[in-house]
Amino acid sequence: EETGGGRLDVSWQVVQYVPLTSTGRVQSVALADCVGASAERSELVLHCVTLHGGGCLGSPHREPSQARMPCRDGGQAERWAAAVWNIMHGVAPDAPPPRQKRWLVLINPVSGPGHARRVYARCRPLFEAHRVALTEVVTTHAGHVREIAAQIEPAEVDAVVCVGGDGVVHELVNGLFAREDADAAVSALSIGVLPGGSANSLCVSLLKANNEKSGSRRSKGGAVGEDDDSVPRRSRRRESRPGRLRRRASSAVAADSGST
C-alpha cells in the first residue's frame, strides 16, 4: 500500500517499508522477532526483540528495538498496526483481533541479589507491547507462590510468569501438582520465567537448549510454548514427582515463539 513517501508491504514472514526516493532507507522486520505492533500519530511502530551477534561478532543475544515506518496518516497507521497484529497471530488481516491474553506475574523481590523488580521493569514494556493484561503479585513470604498456585482459576489466567530464582518455579509447579484438578490446571496454564535469582540454573539450561544467550530469551505470544509432551498426564502418575518436574523443566521454554 502506498503511504505517500513510500510503500508498505507485508507477508506472513516480513513487514517491509520501501521509500520512493533513493535517499530513503528500506526497512524490513521479520515477524518472528516482532512482539507487538502499534500506531503513533502517522507511524506504524513494530516492537521487536532482535537477535544480534554470533560468530566473530561474539555471543548471540537479543535486544529490544523498534522499527518506525511512516504512513500517510494516523488512520493508515492504525489499520496497518491491526493487520500486522493479526498476521502475527495467524489471523486474517481484516478479521477481528485475537482475544487478549491474561498473565499472572509473580515477583519474588528477595530472590538472589534482589534484582527481580529491576528485571521485570525492563521486560514489562515488551509485555505491554504484546497487549497482555497483566496481574502483578509481589510475594511476601516463603510458600506464598504455592498458596497462589492453589487458588489460580485456569479459566481466568492464560499464563503465569515467575520473576525470581528457580525456587519460584519450584513452588509454582509443586503447587499446581498438589491441586485436585492438577491435570486440568497444568494443561490450561503456560509458565514463563524471567531470571532474577543468583544462578538461574533453569533459565540457563533452557536458553542453552534453544541456542540463546542466558537472560536474553524473547517473550512472544505467551509465557511458555508447551507441546503435549511437556505436560504430565494422570497416566504418568506412577512416575516420581522429581522425575515429572525434571521432564517438565526440560521441555518448557521461558517464552513462546509464536502461537497464542
Side-chain angles (χ1 to χ4, degrees), residues 199-221:
N200 303 307
S201 301
L202 175 61
C203 283
V204 171
S205 297
L206 297 177
L207 293 167
K208 184 176 181 180
N210 285 273
N211 297 315
E212 296 274 359
K213 183 180 178 182
S214 177
S216 63
R217 180 68 174 162
R218 64 188 171 169
S219 170
K220 180 172 182 295

Side-chain angles (χ1 to χ4, degrees), residues 4-66:
R7 180 177 179 80
L8 278 169
D9 187 30
V10 62
S11 69
W12 292 101
Q13 293 82 27
V14 177
V15 180
Q16 187 174 64
Y17 171 76
V18 180
L20 296 180
T21 64
S22 58
T23 57
R25 182 169 64 92
V26 176
Q27 297 186 67
S28 294
V29 175
L31 290 180
D33 292 331
C34 202
V35 299
S38 61
E40 294 184 12
R41 297 182 181 178
S42 59
E43 288 184 319
L44 167 64
V45 183
L46 302 180
H47 306 268
C48 309
V49 188
T50 52
L51 186 64
H52 298 269
C56 63
L57 300 178
S59 299
H61 61 282
R62 292 189 180 273
E63 295 179 0
S65 63
Q66 289 185 349

Side-chain angles (χ1 to χ4, degrees), residues 156-225:
E156 300 175 1
V157 177
D158 298 299
V160 182
V161 180
C162 300
V163 189
D166 295 343
V168 183
V169 185
H170 183 271
E171 279 196 29
L172 174 65
V173 172
N174 278 280
L176 291 174
F177 277 118
R179 295 167 57 121
E180 289 294 327
D181 63 343
D183 275 355
V186 172
S187 299
L189 293 171
S190 295
I191 299 175
V193 183
L194 291 180
S198 298
N200 303 307
S201 301
L202 175 61
C203 283
V204 171
S205 297
L206 297 177
L207 293 167
K208 184 176 181 180
N210 285 273
N211 297 315
E212 296 274 359
K213 183 180 178 182
S214 177
S216 63
R217 180 68 174 162
R218 64 188 171 169
S219 170
K220 180 172 182 295
V224 169

Side-chain angles (χ1 to χ4, degrees), residues 5-167:
R7 180 177 179 80
L8 278 169
D9 187 30
V10 62
S11 69
W12 292 101
Q13 293 82 27
V14 177
V15 180
Q16 187 174 64
Y17 171 76
V18 180
L20 296 180
T21 64
S22 58
T23 57
R25 182 169 64 92
V26 176
Q27 297 186 67
S28 294
V29 175
L31 290 180
D33 292 331
C34 202
V35 299
S38 61
E40 294 184 12
R41 297 182 181 178
S42 59
E43 288 184 319
L44 167 64
V45 183
L46 302 180
H47 306 268
C48 309
V49 188
T50 52
L51 186 64
H52 298 269
C56 63
L57 300 178
S59 299
H61 61 282
R62 292 189 180 273
E63 295 179 0
S65 63
Q66 289 185 349
R68 293 178 172 269
M69 302 181 177
C71 296
R72 183 169 50 250
D73 51 38
Q76 187 180 48
E78 290 282 357
R79 289 197 309 274
W80 270 84
V84 172
W85 178 253
N86 278 6
I87 293 172
M88 286 170 54
H89 293 80
V91 180
D94 56 351
R99 179 179 64 82
Q100 185 181 34
K101 290 294 184 180
R102 302 155 300 176
W103 291 4
L104 172 62
V105 183
L106 306 178
I107 306 166
N108 182 359
V110 298
S111 289
H115 293 167
R117 291 179 187 267
R118 187 173 65 187
V119 169
Y120 181 60
R122 291 182 60 191
C123 295
R124 196 179 196 279
L126 296 176
F127 296 167
E128 293 173 339
H130 198 60
R131 308 183 189 183
V132 176
L134 299 169
T135 300
E136 299 155 353
V137 178
V138 178
T139 61
T140 59
H141 56 273
H144 193 182
V145 171
R146 185 165 184 144
E147 295 169 6
I148 293 171
Q151 300 171 1
I152 293 174
E153 292 291 342
E156 300 175 1
V157 177
D158 298 299
V160 182
V161 180
C162 300
V163 189
D166 295 343

